[in-house]
Amino acid sequence: MALFKRNPNKIKLTHAERLYQTIIIIIVGLVTLSCVFPLIYVIGMSFTGQAEMIEKNYFVIIPERPTILAYQSILQKSNFWSSFLISVFRVLLGVPAALLLTVPGGYVLANKQMPGRRWFMIYFIITMILGGGTIPSYLLMRDLHLLNTFWVYIVPAFGGAFNMLIVKLFVEGIPTEIVESADLDGATEMQKMLHIAVPLLVPTLCALGLFAAVGHWNSWFDAMLYVRDADLKTVQFVIRELLLSSGAQTNTSGVGNDIIITDKVTSEGVKMASVVVALIPILCVYPFLQKYFIYGMYTGSVKG
């Protein structure tokens, strides 16, 4: 009977507080449902054949006759796996490239005694607001001999003014006592950056790395603009081309001349399956970086 005793230290809530918490729980539940429901819908539609889609007016949550024809249509594409590996290597190299110059750049900009600091800040902010455009970017890639090479995905990723400013805000929030104690010990600026700033920047760098990884994984426009070799195309570009050319495909079976149409995969099913395939890597990585993502964005945006 001791298991059912009430906790005497439990805080008693008033009726108004209970009503408030109930309303908050309902709102959070509705927001969560609005986020989860589209994903369930996409997954359900990706396993649905043409006949069932027509029967249920293209609105299927849990298919009664699930089929993997849409996934077979994607995975049987000749260059799908090569493009998948290209995207994986792009993420593995692009994320470190995006962070390599971000940390020293943000650390230097956080030094209020640096000569010309204000003008450097103005320069970086201007590059965030004004872009060169497609044609100048293409000409730059051509002059750098990066066209139709894998490195056209990596080299433009070095640095980043927005990420640099986030790192700058975080470094400015480091207590001055820590920096002064390092100065008394005779630490150089490089040592202070590597042994003080970088360890404290880990959550922020994980958050920025997640942003960079999602950006590299979802990118397809640069593959269309700068690359002509089919073996260097990214998986998102291949999926896009598949969506543009997808139509109803028939899966048949039979003996001799007696052919029986068993099912079809529609363009809607292919679209939904392609979305699921593109989401799988991000869904596998995000849970491990979620805590760093939340804490990193908080510490990178709140100063002091």
Side-chain angles (χ1 to χ4, degrees):
M1 297 298 294
L3 296 176
F4 299 96
K5 288 183 178 180
R6 294 184 178 180
N7 186 0
N9 298 324
K10 185 177 180 180
I11 299 176
K12 294 182 179 181
L13 302 177
T14 63
H15 292 290
E17 291 174 338
R18 290 179 180 177
L19 178 61
Y20 173 77
Q21 288 194 356
T22 302
I23 295 174
I24 293 298
I25 291 173
I26 293 175
I27 293 175
V28 172
L30 292 176
V31 172
T32 303
L33 182 62
S34 66
C35 296
V36 174
F37 179 78
L39 179 61
I40 298 175
Y41 170 73
V42 168
I43 295 175
M45 288 286 288
S46 67
F47 287 100
T48 306
Q50 184 187 43
E52 188 172 357
M53 281 190 183
I54 296 175
E55 291 175 4
K56 298 184 178 180
N57 197 20
Y58 286 84
F59 187 81
V60 181
I61 304 300
I62 300 177
E64 297 178 358
R65 300 181 297 274
T67 176
I68 60 172
L69 293 177
Y71 292 95
Q72 289 178 348
S73 177
I74 297 174
L75 299 179
Q76 289 176 357
K77 192 172 179 61
S78 59
N79 61 336
F80 177 82
W81 289 112
S82 62
S83 63
F84 189 89
L85 292 177
I86 289 293
S87 293
V88 169
F89 284 119
R90 174 177 180 173
V91 171
L92 294 178
L93 295 178
V95 172
L99 300 178
L100 183 62
L101 299 180
T102 298
V103 176
Y107 181 82
V108 171
L109 289 177
N111 187 359
K112 297 181 180 180
Q113 298 178 354
M114 183 186 72
R117 174 176 177 268
R118 179 182 177 184
W119 297 108
F120 281 110
M121 287 289 300
I122 294 175
Y123 170 78
F124 286 122
I125 292 175
I126 290 176
T127 60
M128 292 173 56
I129 300 174
L130 302 177
T134 303
I135 295 177
S137 299
Y138 182 88
L139 296 177
L140 177 62
M141 297 299 108
R142 184 197 64 183
D143 294 340
L144 293 176
H145 304 287
L146 295 176
L147 293 180
N148 207 33
T149 64
F150 173 78
W151 299 107
V152 76
Y153 302 136
I154 307 301
V155 173
F158 278 94
F162 178 75
N163 295 345
M164 198 176 298
L165 293 179
I166 291 180
V167 173
K168 167 189 169 293
L169 291 175
F170 182 86
V171 174
E172 287 178 346
I174 297 177
T176 56
E177 292 80 4
I178 299 177
V179 179
E180 290 175 355
S181 63
D183 291 333
L184 293 176
D185 293 334
T188 63
E189 291 296 331
M190 181 65 70
Q191 290 174 333
K192 288 188 289 185
M193 183 185 70
L194 295 178
H195 298 288
I196 297 178
V198 172
L200 296 174
L201 275 171
V202 169
T204 301
L205 294 180
C206 289
L208 296 179
L210 181 61
F211 280 135
V214 173
H216 278 289
W217 182 260
N218 290 334
S219 180
W220 59 268
F221 184 74
D222 49 3
M224 180 184 68
L225 187 63
Y226 303 130
V227 177
R228 294 292 178 265
D229 190 352
D231 294 332
L232 295 176
K233 298 292 187 180
T234 60
V235 68
Q236 296 294 341
F237 178 84
V238 173
I239 290 177
R240 176 181 178 273
E241 292 295 311
L242 184 63
L243 295 181
L244 295 178
S245 61
S246 62
Q249 302 177 16
T250 305
N251 182 27
T252 62
S253 62
V255 179
N257 296 326
D258 298 330
I259 300 177
I260 302 173
I261 299 178
T262 58
D263 203 351
K264 289 183 178 180
V265 54
T266 63
S267 59
E268 292 295 327
V270 173
K271 291 177 182 178
M272 300 301 180
S274 63
V275 171
V276 174
V277 172
L279 279 176
I280 289 176
I282 301 299
L283 292 177
C284 292
V285 172
Y286 183 78
F288 299 99
L289 299 178
Q290 182 181 8
K291 60 178 181 180
Y292 296 110
F293 174 77
I294 297 174
Y295 179 71
M297 286 296 96
Y298 172 77
T299 55
S301 59
V302 179
K303 180 181 175 182

